[in-house]
Amino acid sequence: MTTTVESASATSAPAISPKKKPRRFDAWGAVAWLVGLGFFFPVLWMVLTSFKQEADAATSPPTLFFTPTLDQYGKVFDQGIGPAMLNSVWATGISTLLVLLLGVPAAFALSLRPVRKTQDALFFFMSTKMLPIVAAILPLYVIVSNIDLLDNIWALVILYTAMNLPIAVWMMRSFFLEVPGELLEAASLDGASLWRSVREVILPLVSPGIAATALICVIFAWNEFFFAVNLTAVNAQTMPVYLVGFIAGEGQYWAVLSAAATMAALPVILCGWFAQNKLVRGLSFGAIK
């Protein structure tokens, strides 16, 4: 009976909750927020300016309170943004796909299955990025002209692939090096072929790295201007070249230029937004063992 009473009293006694530690002000977190807002403010100001009339966009000091309008976006579509957008999507998408198809096997061969003279191959990849683009544009122009690819989107696809391939190989190699080689040995002992081991064991592990590499290639190809402005005219015009058309000799029309820049930045922002989880994992791949 005594045991029953003691157990009942113990059951009915209120549980003592641990004291919550008071939250301390995180100074570094506040600094990070301020830096992040500082980087984001130009983008926010560009978007806000795109909803202004030209008279409001050109005032000094800037107009903070205004009536939003979509007139500038209408002007952007009237000036033919569609073909330039499609050209950028085509050149960026196809070149990124080719970079992954060529770069992933090359990075695998230079990491988990190293080939002879790996360091020489890596140096060759990076040496292609050491030549300034300005020094190479004249021979490239002559070659592209001789093979009848001037003002052709396929010329940009080839050049963007060559431009991003060394970066993709180096990035993917660092991701492959973080994968234990014992996984391939275990898969081979279980009877799996090399292709099946790569497809079902290795690639799922490095998929965040592939996503990060692909997004980097998309950003570089989408923003590339020098090749596009020198090797295209009308048919293969991309978004960076299209934006230059809004800078007129009599002045700059800030509102319509901001609307066009917002439309140009939107696809890359959406790609980063949808791939943000894999992008964060890919950029921190191997940082914590």
Side-chain angles (χ1 to χ4, degrees):
M1 182 68 180
T2 304
T3 305
T4 305
V5 174
E6 290 178 353
S7 61
S9 61
T11 305
S12 60
I16 300 175
S17 59
K19 293 183 179 180
K20 294 183 178 180
K21 295 182 179 180
R23 292 183 177 180
R24 296 181 179 179
F25 177 73
D26 189 357
W28 287 111
V31 171
W33 272 102
L34 290 176
V35 172
L37 291 175
F39 278 105
F40 178 72
F41 179 76
V43 179
L44 176 62
W45 190 256
M46 177 186 69
V47 175
L48 291 177
T49 305
S50 68
F51 292 101
K52 294 181 179 180
Q53 297 288 354
E54 290 294 344
D56 296 329
T59 58
S60 181
T63 302
L64 298 179
F65 301 99
F66 58 93
T67 302
T69 179
L70 295 176
D71 293 344
Q72 312 307 327
Y73 288 94
K75 294 179 181 178
V76 170
F77 283 101
D78 291 339
Q79 294 189 22
I81 192 177
M85 182 73 75
L86 290 177
N87 286 334
S88 287
V89 170
W90 182 262
T92 301
I94 299 299
S95 64
T96 302
L97 181 61
L98 291 176
V99 166
L100 293 180
L101 290 177
L102 297 174
V104 171
F108 176 79
L110 295 172
S111 56
L112 293 181
R113 288 296 177 91
V115 296
R116 293 181 58 187
K117 297 185 178 181
T118 297
Q119 296 301 322
D120 294 341
L122 291 173
F123 177 77
F124 171 75
F125 278 117
M126 291 310 299
S127 65
T128 60
K129 302 296 294 181
M130 298 177 184
L131 180 67
I133 299 178
V134 178
I137 190 61
L138 183 57
L140 285 175
Y141 184 89
V142 173
I143 294 172
V144 172
S145 177
N146 289 336
I147 61 177
D148 294 329
L149 285 181
L150 278 179
D151 200 17
N152 191 311
I153 196 63
W154 284 105
L156 295 182
V157 169
I158 296 171
L159 291 174
Y160 291 172
T161 302
M163 176 183 70
N164 289 326
L165 186 57
I167 301 173
V169 171
W170 272 82
M171 288 185 63
M172 287 306 306
R173 180 175 180 269
S174 65
F175 297 135
F176 278 121
L177 287 176
E178 299 296 332
V179 178
E182 291 78 6
L183 291 177
L184 277 178
E185 297 177 0
S188 62
L189 290 177
D190 291 337
S193 62
L194 177 60
W195 168 242
R196 184 178 179 183
S197 301
V198 172
R199 187 180 71 250
E200 299 182 4
V201 179
I202 304 300
L203 289 183
L205 291 176
V206 299
S207 59
I210 296 177
T213 303
L215 187 57
I216 293 296
C217 294
V218 166
I219 293 174
F220 286 169
W222 186 270
N223 295 331
E224 200 283 322
F225 175 75
F226 194 77
F227 285 145
V229 75
N230 285 284
L231 301 177
T232 66
V234 178
N235 296 328
Q237 185 184 62
T238 57
M239 284 303 299
V241 181
Y242 172 80
L243 291 178
V244 177
F246 290 94
I247 302 177
E250 62 271 13
Q252 295 181 2
Y253 297 92
W254 293 109
V256 67
L257 180 59
S258 297
T262 301
M263 293 293 297
L266 189 60
V268 179
I269 294 175
L270 291 178
C271 289
W273 178 265
F274 288 117
Q276 60 179 332
N277 292 332
K278 288 188 176 296
L279 178 63
V280 173
R281 289 177 57 197
L283 294 179
S284 60
F285 197 89
I288 300 176
K289 296 276 185 177

